[in-house]
């Protein structure tokens, strides 16, 4: 188990809901892929986190419920702004055109506004995970929830 009190609290709440040993959970544990989490469990997680930490959980943000919608939104904004899809492979004679952000960078910039508790590195890893995965299960990890709680406590 961890010495991080926030991560420990998040693991404790999830373990109580799923009747698991909290010591088996880590920041890297996928909430849906590794655990027997169902969507109704997220409601219990949110209530439990709220009680445990004294915060109000925004489930859609804390549990990345609308992640794919926000990725699609970032893509449509990029297309509207630049008049073309941003794929990082522009190679024109115009040097300023080559400075346009890649689709990945545009997504990360947008996702940072929606999920300010996640680092750019974590968002990049999420995008990589989604691109490489044949498993359509959500990419939420326990560490992502702990990051949300940490962020909420700072407010």
């Amino acid at each position: 188990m961890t010495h991080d009190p926030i991560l420990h609290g998040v693991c404790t709440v999830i373990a109580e809901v799923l009747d698991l040993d909290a010591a088996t959970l880590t920041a890297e544990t996928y909430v849906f892929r590794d655990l027997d989490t169902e969507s109704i469990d997220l409601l219990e997680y949110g209530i439990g986190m709220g009680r445990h930490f004294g915060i109000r959980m925004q489930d859609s943000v804390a549990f990345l419920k609308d992640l794919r919608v926000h990725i699609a939104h970032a893509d449509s904004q990029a297309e509207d702004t630049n008049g073309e899809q941003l794929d990082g492979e522009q190679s024109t004679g115009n040097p300023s055109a080559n400075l346009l952000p890649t689709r990945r960078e545009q997504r990360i910039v947008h996702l940072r506004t929606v999920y300010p508790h996640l680092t750019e590195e974590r968002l990049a890893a999420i995008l990589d995970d989604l691109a490489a995965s044949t498993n359509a299960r959500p990419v939420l990890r326990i560490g992502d929830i702990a990051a949300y709680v940490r962020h909420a406590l700072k407010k």
Side-chain angles (χ1 to χ4, degrees):
M1 194 55 158
T2 177
H3 295 298
D4 175 351
I6 292 173
L7 181 59
H8 177 76
V10 170
C11 290
T12 299
V13 169
I14 291 172
E16 287 174 1
V17 171
L18 298 179
D19 195 27
L20 298 171
D21 179 2
T24 64
L25 305 177
T26 70
E28 300 302 314
T29 303
Y30 283 98
V31 174
F32 287 94
R33 293 180 187 176
D34 297 335
L35 304 176
D36 194 22
T37 295
E38 297 180 14
S39 58
I40 191 70
D41 294 324
L42 295 180
L43 178 63
E44 291 186 55
Y45 295 168
I47 292 168
M49 303 289 167
R51 286 185 182 145
H52 187 89
F53 294 106
I55 60 172
R56 185 169 180 269
M57 295 287 288
Q58 281 186 275
D59 291 0
S60 62
V61 176
F63 304 130
L64 311 181
K65 286 184 174 182
D66 300 323
L67 177 66
R68 286 178 174 85
V69 170
H70 290 295
I71 290 170
H73 180 74
D75 290 349
S76 70
Q77 278 186 321
E79 290 170 8
D80 290 347
T81 302
N82 299 305
E84 62 184 35
Q85 288 190 342
L86 296 177
D87 58 12
E89 297 181 11
Q90 301 101 331
S91 183
T92 67
N94 181 351
S96 63
N98 293 330
L99 297 177
L100 292 174
T102 64
R103 175 183 301 270
R104 175 187 172 85
E105 291 166 342
Q106 190 75 21
R107 286 174 170 179
I108 291 170
V109 167
H110 176 71
L111 292 174
R112 282 287 290 152
T113 66
V114 180
Y115 306 111
H117 60 286
L118 297 177
T119 64
E120 287 185 25
E121 293 79 15
R122 177 61 185 133
L123 290 169
I126 287 171
L127 293 174
D128 290 344
D129 194 354
L130 288 172
S133 180
T134 57
N135 181 351
R137 303 285 315 232
V139 296
L140 179 68
R141 290 182 177 173
I142 289 176
D144 301 331
I145 300 171
Y148 175 86
V149 170
R150 223 174 261 107
H151 183 78
L153 288 170
K154 289 180 183 175
K155 288 184 174 181

